[in-house]
Amino acid sequence: MNEKIKIHIDGKECWTTNGTSIIDAAKENGIFIPSLCHVDGIKPAGSCRICNVQVNGRNMTACSTPAVDGMHIESNIPELEEMRKAIIEIMFVAGNHFCPACEKSGNCELQALGYRYQMMVPRFPYEFPEKGVNADSKYIYHDRNRCIMCKRCVRGVMKDGKHVFAFNSRGGENLHIELDTELASQLTEAEALAAMDICPVGAILKKERGYYQPIGERKYDKEPIGSEIENK
Amino acid sequence: MSKPVVATTSLAGCFGCHMSLLDIDERILELIELVEFNKSPIDDIKTFTKHCDIGLIEGGCCNSENIHVLKDFRKNCTILVSLGECAIMGGLPALRNGIPVEECIREAYLDGPTVGLNKEQILPNDDELPMILDKVYPCHEIVKIDYYLPGCAPRADLIWNALIALVTGDELKLPYEVVKFD
């Protein structure tokens, strides 16, 4: 099982172990493949589509596709980079991403990708959705208007074996992620903080935690997202 | 050759972007050597006296006067630049976009905790006052905008680099630290 395999990413020879996802294999070899829904230690969902790479000319999500010996993967090509930028722009207009007024600003992965791709303005019209907020639980403030539906919280925030976040339905226009207020109220402060950290945007915020880091010292103020992998 | 002419305005903004323009510090002396300012709060010229090359727009459109001024800028400027988050996406004023206008006005003039005595329950309703729009619009949803400089406020270096690039025709330098959305 732990057999070493060789793959090529953008022409670079990379080594990894059999069964590793393409995104993790790239990371091991100092190559950053952007993603918003992938988070270490949680089963991949392939929902944000930003990590799309080309394998034998076919688009595959790098988070949910295991690397196979001899694979030739293209990631940093204009076609994919342009598509990733378009997806980021869609996410910016589909939600209410008021960066200047958001407590996650500076530590937000969507914003960081906006910086990395130098998004000066989204090409699509703003939707300004009204999906509501839920501030009823003790430590968590849940703003559905900022949610990008990456499902990280659905997959990763548990309390006593139960999911704290879940989709309200299977589809349709009113599809959104709901917070189980009662269950969320049982979260400890540390668990609420972990829930905030699992959210790539500012949809899940820990109450009484706003703006705790000064501008200039936040995660993506000085270095672009992914540079920690590329400069390793 | 005469100097390029720059006009600026603040629509539904807080003047923070103009403050950031002043944050170029002593480079402002260099700037006035390079360009001439026309209609702008900086020199207090109220109406266009000539066609301008560059128009810097701060703020989005929240009322009929903003639309009027923005269209006037489009007519009188060759290049329009959306300066800052409010011009680009509505910014903080657009936080009201999910709330009906009537509710906003009631909160501001009747029910809000900071409202003083308004015994007659007066709501502003004078012909002289611009009409509030149903929501706050980004500038590029009203007129064509040529360039965008994000930030709240856009970093002084971003404004400086962009103006210099526009005036000289050199490539715009965009170091990582200058393109920010907050």
Side-chain angles (χ1 to χ4, degrees):
Chain A
M1 186 58 201
N2 287 333
E3 156 203 3
K4 283 272 173 202
I5 56 166
K6 186 169 85 174
I7 58 172
H8 286 87
I9 303 176
D10 292 327
K12 186 187 168 193
E13 198 173 280
C14 300
W15 289 90
T16 185
T17 42
N18 204 8
T20 310
S21 67
I22 295 174
I23 201 167
D24 288 339
K27 195 175 169 182
E28 288 166 11
N29 289 276
I31 296 168
F32 173 66
I33 299 176
S35 162
L36 284 172
C37 68
H38 183 61
V39 57
D40 283 341
I42 293 175
K43 198 180 162 198
S47 58
C48 77
R49 318 309 285 182
I50 288 173
C51 72
N52 253 315
V53 290
Q54 281 192 354
V55 182
N56 298 333
R58 254 187 89 168
N59 283 9
M60 320 270 246
T61 45
C63 65
S64 58
T65 309
V68 174
D69 194 33
M71 237 182 197
H72 282 264
I73 297 150
E74 304 274 2
S75 173
N76 188 14
I77 54 173
E79 182 192 333
L80 287 175
E81 289 289 90
E82 182 50 38
M83 188 199 66
R84 286 168 185 156
K85 192 175 181 210
I87 296 174
I88 292 158
E89 291 175 16
I90 288 170
M91 286 175 176
F92 265 97
V93 299
N96 290 342
H97 298 285
F98 294 92
C99 294
C102 181
E103 294 170 28
K104 198 65 179 273
S105 189
N107 294 314
C108 168
E109 291 175 33
L110 176 63
Q111 185 191 54
L113 284 177
Y115 294 161
R116 189 179 165 106
Y117 285 89
Q118 295 209 316
M119 182 193 82
M120 306 306 261
V121 65
R123 71 197 78 171
F124 309 103
Y126 285 96
E127 288 182 14
F128 297 116
E130 294 166 46
K131 290 184 176 171
V133 297
N134 180 342
D136 293 341
S137 65
K138 196 171 175 196
Y139 293 122
I140 288 186
Y141 175 87
H142 186 218
D143 187 342
R144 296 196 285 260
N145 298 313
R146 291 178 185 157
C147 178
I148 56 164
M149 311 258 225
C150 67
K151 297 199 276 193
R152 276 198 200 179
C153 59
V154 175
R155 289 172 287 150
V157 184
M158 309 289 283
K159 183 70 185 173
D160 302 333
K162 291 182 214 156
H163 291 274
V164 178
F165 295 88
F167 276 102
N168 67 323
S169 60
R170 283 176 173 267
E173 273 193 13
N174 190 32
L175 181 72
H176 60 257
I177 289 172
E178 287 272 8
L179 166 74
D180 184 329
T181 312
E182 226 170 275
L183 200 56
S185 294
Q186 294 167 25
L187 292 176
T188 64
E189 225 170 326
E191 286 168 333
L193 206 56
M196 175 174 174
D197 287 341
I198 217 170
C199 180
V201 291
I204 302 171
L205 295 177
K206 159 84 179 54
K207 287 183 183 174
E208 300 171 8
R209 173 88 178 163
Y211 312 109
Y212 67 102
Q213 282 171 303
I215 289 179
E217 290 176 17
R218 302 166 306 177
K219 204 169 172 189
Y220 304 117
D221 279 339
K222 298 245 162 66
E223 297 290 331
I225 188 169
S227 55
E228 72 283 2
I229 294 172
E230 290 163 334
N231 303 333
K232 201 166 61 178
Chain B
M1 207 178 86
S2 59
K3 289 194 245 179
V5 188
V6 178
T8 77
T9 188
S10 179
L11 306 177
C14 69
F15 268 93
C17 300
H18 276 80
M19 288 295 149
S20 199
L21 171 61
L22 297 179
D23 259 349
I24 62 175
D25 299 331
E26 74 278 6
R27 285 175 289 184
I28 200 151
L29 299 173
E30 221 174 302
L31 185 64
I32 49 170
E33 290 297 317
L34 282 169
V35 303
E36 168 193 336
F37 277 88
N38 199 266
K39 180 181 157 74
S40 168
I42 287 175
D43 54 16
D44 214 20
I45 298 179
K46 309 280 191 203
T47 49
F48 284 104
T49 55
K50 60 164 91 168
H51 188 83
C52 297
D53 299 287
I54 301 165
L56 301 178
I57 313 289
E58 169 188 337
C61 292
C62 78
N63 64 31
S64 54
E65 197 247 351
N66 296 153
I67 304 256
H68 174 81
V69 173
L70 182 57
K71 286 185 170 167
D72 199 30
F73 262 74
R74 183 66 279 180
K75 213 182 291 169
N76 287 285
C77 300
T78 311
I79 292 167
L80 274 196
V81 182
S82 267
L83 188 63
E85 287 302 305
C86 299
I88 290 172
M89 58 84 67
L92 297 205
L95 283 170
R96 78 160 163 95
N97 282 4
I99 304 164
V101 176
E102 195 190 336
E103 216 176 291
C104 288
I105 291 183
R106 285 198 68 86
E107 181 73 12
Y109 295 99
L110 301 176
D111 305 334
T114 56
V115 175
L117 283 180
N118 184 1
K119 279 183 194 155
E120 293 87 22
Q121 303 270 295
I122 298 168
L123 293 178
N125 183 26
D126 191 289
D127 288 346
E128 291 290 317
L129 294 175
M131 289 293 284
I132 298 273
L133 304 178
D134 62 334
K135 60 175 193 170
V136 180
Y137 291 86
C139 292
H140 63 274
E141 292 187 11
I142 306 293
V143 299
K144 182 185 185 296
I145 299 287
D146 302 287
Y147 297 106
Y148 302 85
L149 300 176
C152 182
R155 305 296 182 266
D157 286 337
L158 177 64
I159 303 176
W160 170 256
N161 291 356
L163 277 174
I164 294 303
L166 276 174
V167 171
T168 61
D170 292 344
E171 202 181 328
L172 172 59
K173 289 188 210 85
L174 287 174
Y176 180 76
E177 290 86 354
V178 305
V179 181
K180 290 284 179 290
F181 304 155
D182 66 356

